[in-house]
Amino acid sequence: MRSRRWIFPLLATCLAMLLLAGLAASSRAAAPYAGADPPAVYRVYFANAAGLQQLAAALDVWAVNHAEGYLTAPLTPEQAERLQATHRLEAAPLPGPLPGPALAAQGAAGIPGFACYRTVEETADTLAALAATYPQLAQLKTIGVSWEKQTPGGPAGYDLDVLVLTNRARPGPKFRFFLMGAIHARELATAETALRFAESLLAGYGVDADATWLLDYGELHLLPIANPDGRKRAEAGILWRKNTNRSDAACIWSPDFDGVDLNRNSSFQWNSCLGCSSGEVCDQTYRGRAPASEPETQALESYLRALFADARPPEPDAAATETTAGLLLSLHSYGEYVLYPWGWTSSPAPNAAALQTLGRKLGYYTRYNACQIGAPGCFYQTDGSIEDWVYGELGIPGYTIEMGNWFFEPCATYEAGLAGATLAALRYAFKAAQAPYQSPGGPEIVAVTPATITLAAGAPLTVTAQADDTRSYGGVYGSDPAQPIQAARAGLDFFPRQAPRNGWAMRAADGRFDQPQEVLSLKIETACWSAGRHLLYLQAQDRSGQWGVPSAALVEVIDAAQFSLQFTSLPSIPRPGQPATYTISITNQSPVTDSYTLAGEPTTWQFDLPAQPIGPVAPGATISVTFTATVPRLEAPPADQARIVVTSTTQPGKCLDAGLMMPEPSLRRFFPFLSLLPPLAPPSDPPTG
Ligand SMILES: [Zn+2]
């Protein structure tokens, strides 16, 4: 009985596959995708997930409507005739415009008829110009070449250009966000959106607080056009998807169907599931003759391997480490989806819950459905995608955003909302790249007011913001429940994942943390703040205990103390009861001779300071000061920060402070035993003035 029950479905599947294989190999009219000769588009109805999967393997599926049970695809007359016998078909309109001769005449710059999208050449020029304009923030790298460039005898082809954005003056390690577009050539809006994201960060550096810290602590690696050869064909108004490989991916029926689908060619689970990619060269989802057979795929995989440490054991069921940093996002069109691994199986990925949570954050900004690509009722299964590869091989979450409603999205709808919503999602994604499996589970900080402020040192600073735990949206696939805000904190100039050294707890404006959205307020003294630009980071926590991604305000401090402080010798983390010796240097940056007084905080610590005032110090000169500080053996409650405050005697009220090493809070509970422990190493990022 058991075997018999299996035979029939298997037989049916094989028959269907044969039928569809015949479909794929049928002769097609020349250039049915050219702009002058738009393809006939149909709705093809499917009965179930298996039926959809069979169709997806053989057809150029443009969109899937699970609710009504049909897919949208262009069909040749022969394909339509064959499918008519087994499927319900309905003629459908072309979802949007193709560039025709009339459209092409309109614009001088950009893609003909689509002036809002820069061409392959204009994109390369923009990347080079950005690297030249922002040498401290942007660097151009060539990570490989396209198939045409690698292959002699045809068009010249292209380099694969990656623009790396980060503030190079600040050393790492930094978290990394890899953003790519146009792996499918005809998806025009994707490359432009990736470019605009880079431009918004560069223009915002030093002006926009979030752009500033993202480039200080993070790196954006941007590959706007992953498939430049194919993209060049698409710019001529052809609905080209694959690369242009015409040696071992030459379609015998028509050169219009040459090439390899680069998002089915990756080496993880390549050709691993039935109907998840095609072995027919002429098909739009042709996977290539071997895993990573194409130069574009090889370049991408080797660059990503160098970029991200492996965070996931090789077993299929093994989860990536929770604290992993790094994110890959590949922009596609169209269909209005946020998609995440796995694609090659309908089973959930080991990090499924966290992948879903971040997917729904991206869904919030785009208002798209968010789901696991291979899950029943989401999209359809795919194998050999770069999103599965980066998650499967390296444990880095890989996301797809399917932008908009047509491959050649009209500029009017692109500019009216699609560009802005996608850029907002990318901004969140970059923030989340520092802890993509964790921080999306926490609330966001929005409406930071003031976003930028200039103040004199010593003036009070009042900041308000909103903590928001409601920003989760997966469309018909559900959203994460909002939880009440539990706490909020602010920190001055500290990296958001470190414990706040100069930190403050923020209050709920209504006096109580009990809602998923809370207005926060904070009033801070700025007496000892140094001159120049500071970032005030704000972060909130919900009742799950998870802290969300931070947002920041930019504070420009003027009229500050005209000297600087620097530790020249730091002890190991002090042990209670034992004096620790510190040396700091004070450099007089004022035009007059100055001297200084020192005071230690908290007063429960014992400070042995030199005779005061310290000086005189001539303009431009530096003086060294050595002192000791002793943590008390018993201190209740333990101080949460200790610092040395230095005040100028010629500029009344102008001071600077420097934080001192604190024993680990957990160790401090066991003071009586601490003196038995060996000295601890100091943290890697010592506090300075
Ligand atoms: Zn695509």
Side-chain angles (χ1 to χ4, degrees):
M1 278 309 284
R2 204 181 156 78
S3 55
R4 239 195 223 181
R5 282 167 64 176
W6 274 103
I7 284 170
F8 179 71
L10 252 176
L11 203 66
T13 302
C14 292
L15 280 171
M17 294 305 286
L18 276 173
L19 178 82
L20 289 160
L23 248 181
S26 66
S27 168
R28 298 178 212 220
Y33 284 6
D37 181 17
V41 183
Y42 289 87
R43 288 178 176 178
V44 184
Y45 286 80
F46 52 85
N48 51 35
L52 167 63
Q53 202 61 48
Q54 288 157 10
L55 291 164
L59 300 179
D60 180 12
V61 178
W62 288 357
V64 183
N65 185 327
H66 282 279
E68 296 176 42
Y70 66 81
L71 59 80
T72 305
L75 301 178
T76 61
E78 295 87 345
Q79 282 178 316
E81 201 184 313
R82 280 174 188 238
L83 272 176
Q84 195 87 55
T86 48
H87 293 73
R88 177 178 156 208
L89 297 190
E90 277 174 16
L94 197 66
L98 293 169
L103 286 171
Q106 286 173 5
I111 295 172
F114 295 83
C116 59
Y117 305 130
R118 279 165 276 194
T119 63
V120 175
E121 287 76 11
E122 287 165 347
T123 301
D125 290 349
T126 301
L127 295 180
L130 290 174
T133 308
Y134 301 96
Q136 273 305 308
L137 299 174
Q139 214 179 354
L140 194 57
K141 286 185 180 175
T142 298
I143 68 163
V145 295
S146 69
W147 185 88
E148 297 284 5
K149 183 146 187 174
Q150 190 189 60
T151 310
Y158 299 92
D159 288 332
L160 299 176
D161 289 333
V162 165
L163 192 69
V164 183
L165 300 192
T166 192
N167 174 13
R168 293 160 70 192
R170 182 181 276 272
K174 300 187 176 187
F175 60 89
R176 289 166 167 170
F177 176 33
F178 188 88
L179 175 65
M180 55 187 282
I183 193 170
H184 288 146
R186 62 197 175 190
E187 301 170 2
L188 294 193
T190 62
E192 179 65 26
T193 306
L195 264 189
R196 290 190 188 188
F197 185 58
E199 289 169 329
S200 75
L201 290 169
L202 290 170
Y205 187 82
V207 184
D208 167 332
D210 285 344
T212 305
W213 72 259
L214 284 169
L215 295 188
D216 277 346
Y217 293 105
E219 289 175 6
L220 172 68
H221 295 251
L222 183 81
L223 175 64
I225 302 185
N227 176 11
D229 294 343
R231 166 62 182 249
K232 205 60 215 167
R233 301 260 180 119
E235 287 175 9
I238 299 169
L239 285 165
W240 197 276
R241 170 184 170 100
K242 302 188 280 183
N243 76 355
T244 62
N245 184 339
R246 63 188 163 277
S247 60
D248 52 10
C251 174
I252 57 167
W253 303 114
S254 162
D256 288 331
F257 297 97
D258 287 348
V260 173
D261 182 347
L262 295 177
N263 213 32
R264 300 292 185 277
N265 186 238
S266 291
S267 57
F268 180 80
Q269 298 289 349
W270 181 85
N271 187 21
S272 66
C273 56
L274 197 65
C276 297
S277 57
S278 175
E280 296 288 338
V281 171
C282 302
D283 283 346
Q284 293 292 352
T285 56
Y286 175 54
R287 65 180 81 98
R289 67 179 153 73
S293 57
E294 304 310 293
E296 295 89 348
T297 311
Q298 291 160 15
L300 197 50
E301 289 188 2
S302 67
Y303 190 72
L304 292 170
R305 266 193 205 288
L307 207 56
F308 297 115
D310 188 358
R312 202 182 77 87
E315 297 77 32
D317 293 341
T321 314
E322 277 262 294
T323 53
T324 299
L327 184 65
L328 177 144
L329 197 150
S330 184
L331 291 169
H332 285 252
S333 60
Y334 62 95
E336 304 197 324
Y337 276 98
V338 174
L339 301 168
Y340 46 85
W342 299 117
W344 67 277
T345 170
S346 57
S347 302
N351 296 85
L355 289 167
Q356 175 177 276
T357 292
L358 174 50
R360 289 169 171 182
K361 285 286 189 189
L362 304 177
Y364 169 82
Y365 288 99
T366 53
R367 306 312 285 179
Y368 291 171
N369 289 320
C371 48
Q372 180 203 334
I373 182 166
C378 173
F379 212 61
Y380 47 83
Q381 283 175 244
T382 59
D383 57 24
S385 75
I386 195 65
E387 294 85 350
D388 271 6
W389 184 90
V390 78
Y391 176 69
E393 288 291 332
L394 302 176
I396 300 299
Y399 284 81
T400 294
I401 294 182
E402 292 279 0
M403 297 174 62
N405 290 294
W406 178 226
F407 297 125
F408 291 12
E409 184 79 32
C411 288
T413 50
Y414 179 69
E415 300 290 8
L418 180 58
T422 314
L423 290 173
L426 294 178
R427 179 69 73 101
Y428 182 85
F430 195 1
K431 286 186 176 188
Q434 59 179 300
Y437 297 124
Q438 293 179 319
S439 47
E444 288 171 62
I445 295 278
V446 298
V448 180
T449 310
T452 64
I453 187 171
T454 299
L455 55 78
L461 170 60
T462 302
V463 175
T464 62
Q466 189 180 40
D468 191 345
D469 205 55
T470 67
R471 296 189 159 200
S472 177
Y473 180 86
V476 299
Y477 304 98
S479 55
D480 285 7
Q483 301 174 69
I485 305 299
Q486 175 170 288
R489 64 188 180 192
L492 184 68
D493 296 332
F494 67 88
F495 178 64
R497 288 192 74 189
Q498 293 175 332
R501 274 196 301 273
N502 304 312
W504 300 270
M506 293 185 83
R507 291 187 312 107
D510 63 4
R512 225 154 66 106
F513 282 123
D514 55 2
Q515 298 296 318
Q517 291 176 314
E518 290 279 1
V519 175
L520 310 170
S521 74
L522 177 70
K523 194 172 177 183
I524 321 173
E525 296 303 322
T526 65
C528 290
W529 289 22
S530 59
R533 193 187 73 205
H534 296 271
L535 282 166
L536 184 70
Y537 295 97
L538 312 179
Q539 199 178 20
Q541 183 188 48
D542 66 21
R543 205 162 274 177
S544 73
Q546 180 61 55
W547 291 93
V549 300
S551 293
L554 258 179
V555 184
E556 189 73 30
V557 176
I558 55 172
D559 194 21
Q562 292 181 31
F563 60 92
S564 64
L565 292 185
Q566 197 172 7
F567 280 106
T568 49
S569 146
L570 272 173
S572 301
I573 289 180
R575 282 185 284 171
Q578 296 185 6
T581 303
Y582 298 81
T583 303
I584 56 171
S585 61
I586 305 171
T587 301
N588 182 3
Q589 295 166 332
S590 80
V592 298
T593 297
D594 204 349
S595 56
Y596 306 93
T597 58
L598 269 61
E601 294 178 5
T603 51
T604 48
W605 288 35
Q606 186 195 325
F607 290 89
D608 287 318
L609 302 169
Q612 306 205 33
I614 290 151
V617 184
T622 297
I623 192 167
S624 265
V625 185
T626 297
F627 63 92
T628 65
T630 308
V631 190
R633 280 185 186 280
L634 291 170
E635 185 186 21
D640 58 8
Q641 58 177 319
R643 55 189 197 151
I644 194 83
V645 179
V646 181
T647 306
S648 159
T649 56
T650 64
Q651 306 165 65
K654 298 300 180 191
C655 55
L656 290 178
D657 60 6
L660 302 185
M661 300 287 183
M662 301 289 292
E664 276 286 317
S666 56
L667 293 179
R668 298 190 69 197
R669 292 196 208 107
F670 305 101
F671 277 174
F673 308 104
L674 261 186
S675 53
L676 302 174
L677 297 172
L680 296 165
S684 57
D685 183 9
T688 61

